[in-house]
Amino acid sequence: MQTWRLDDARQTLVLCAQGGLPQVTYWGAALPQGEDLSVLHAANARDLSGGMLDVVPPLSLCPETTQSFPGQPGLRGCCADGTPLRPQFKLREVVQDGQELRVACTDEARGLTYTATLALDTQTHVLRLQARLDSAAPIQLDWFAAPVLPAPDHAAEMIDVSGRWCGEFQLNDLPWTPGSHLRESLVGRSDHAHFPGLILPCTGTSNTQGAAYALHYGWAGGHRMVAEELPDGRRQVQFGHASGSYAAPATQFETAPLYATFSDIGINGCATAFQRHLRDRIVTTPTPRPVHYNCWEAVYFNHDLPRLKDIATRAAELGAERFVLDDGWFGLRDDDTTSLGDWQVDSRKYPQGLGPLIDHVAGLGMSFGLWLEPEMINRDSALFRAHPDWVLGEADQATGRGQLVLDMARGDVQSYLYDSIAALLRAHPITYIKWDHNRVLPVADVAQTHGLYALLDRLRADFPQVEIESCASGGGRADWGMLERTGRIWLSDSNDALERLAIQHNAALFLPACVTGSHVGPRLCHTSGRMLDIGFRAWVAAQRHMGFEMDPRELTAHEAQVLRDVTTWWKANRDWMMMADILRLDSSDAAVIAEQQIAQDGSRFVVFAGRAATSAQIAPRPLRLTGLDPAARYTVTLRAPDSPQAQSRGQIALKTGPVTLSGAALMGQGITLPCSDPGTMAVLEAVRREEAP
Ligand code: DGJ
């Protein structure tokens, strides 16, 4: 038996091998140095009983049918002649380099080499796992899992993520039951419906306490996730590209990175590990994050230069620092049936090009961003008329939002898009692209995603000053594969603050504030028909990377003042808030969605407690905080609402002035918020007191 271990201050992962593919036999709370890993392995081995094989087939990094593994194998495919691929790997070597393991296994008879990398980032606590398969002869793969991890025995439930347009990041608590739970995005993008993430809380775990595991597959192109309980009770989780993603036989296959983390401080420990890892290791977000203004919900396709200039002037006056010109500026794009692919400025709307608008925006002290949807094409476009063969999939396929997808694997398509976008970026001081993607793919196809990545990589290399936002009808591509190449996610097309509150609360399991766009929408929300107060809309946007998306001409003087005030507050706090940990609070009131953003040095925090509905009980329960030093004292001030609330008649402490309490009290018993209506936000600001010991 050979053993290896990866350690950080919080977790240990143990790998064991007996001549074949290694298996993870322990992943959880940090083990003492000196633990006998062979004994550990033996102590956790399953017993044998009647009706079982005479050995327990290993739950290896890539479970093999040739080992009589009783669950989903880690690899499925066939040789060129159609013979099913049933490899039997032998361990060649495992090389350990600090907290990184490189595993190499071969199946000489079949000409196959399996390699895997397991690397633990000891600062962020995030594991990065990736597998690769090399074959001497072309093979057709249907399924290839990233290194497979065991899931905890001591858990009754898993939490996966579903969603829809305007309703992203819905969490589902699902019971572990015998057999497999499959989540698969077959539509060529990570998609609203199947965000590639899984949370595995152990029994009794909440946001703020207990043991939990979290996994995320960093791939934009559609994935498959299997969480399976085997007949012997063991559990495994597999993530990989969606089945069928490999269109043709090939000799090399590589999974995307699977990110994983363990926490013994509740689900928040996983969330903050992911937030930090993404922010500090994967994305590059220029700071300070500028306040956005996006004109989509103000003008849609009706671009009119004087009107846009007026809107820009007002947006700047409200505090916007970047103006993003959304869909409708190119081709003959008067609605969504036409012109995708024709990335030339519409001279009917902009007779002198984009220059006059950009100059006006620059004169207001704002930078300029532009909307593009490069991977798409309308049949009604010059591009389609010239190159109907550039479309991915069948000629007579159904359109989505009137559009089709370009075949991004083609060199000529990539060149055309690069040249079109580069021409715009060279001609104008554009520092931002909102990169949209409003149609699912006809098939999941690895080459399509690699084509997209190549185009993004080339543009980023040649135009490093240009930041890119990933949008796909809102949050349809919010995965870390995209975020390796972009710096912001347009999390949802829902600017309904009530819905956004929940969407961004759940997305914080995977995404930090600095990449999560959140805009103040119109008074009457366009996607829900709901009317919401400006204070609530502004504070919900202030929880993340703030922006505005309403027509500023609709604002009353009072609304404009509230928006200016919250924006000023956000600017004063963004430097630490965009680097803060977002901790989801265990609210004892189902009607309150609350989070605490705490500075990395623990010196200050802000609590956002959004009232999403009317409570069952008549008065609010105290809200318990988290992540504080129990012995330290914190002075907590009610920042919002800053005016008397009709519903609140009592004399609770927060209403009469700042409250100073210990971390122990704030975490143990909590603090009472004023009564409030649904659609309001309580904001508490707090500083840790510097007190002599
Ligand atoms: C979908 C996006 O999510 C919206 O924000 C907007 O950019 C539209 N597309 C434009 O067509």
Side-chain angles (χ1 to χ4, degrees), residues 582-668:
I582 305 172
L583 303 171
R584 292 155 36 100
L585 294 176
D586 290 328
S587 170
S588 306
D589 183 339
V592 175
I593 298 177
E595 71 179 33
Q596 181 181 334
Q597 298 189 12
I598 184 162
Q600 288 201 13
D601 63 2
S603 63
R604 62 197 301 176
F605 65 85
V606 58
V607 172
F608 295 98
R611 176 162 290 283
T614 309
S615 300
Q617 77 288 344
I618 199 156
R621 296 184 192 282
L623 181 67
R624 286 188 303 175
L625 308 188
T626 191
L628 305 178
D629 176 351
R633 288 171 10 109
Y634 298 85
T635 298
V636 184
T637 309
L638 183 66
R639 174 69 180 74
D642 54 4
S643 54
Q645 296 294 291
Q647 298 291 350
S648 172
R649 297 194 293 126
Q651 286 304 310
I652 61 166
L654 269 178
K655 277 170 66 179
T656 51
V659 175
T660 299
L661 283 172
S662 68
L666 290 167
M667 293 191 292

Side-chain angles (χ1 to χ4, degrees), residues 296 326-327 371 401 434 436 438 471 473-474 490 493:
W296 176 239
D326 211 283
D327 196 354
W371 179 96
R401 205 194 189 203
K434 177 176 173 184
D436 210 341
N438 290 301
C471 172
S473 305
W490 180 231
D493 271 357

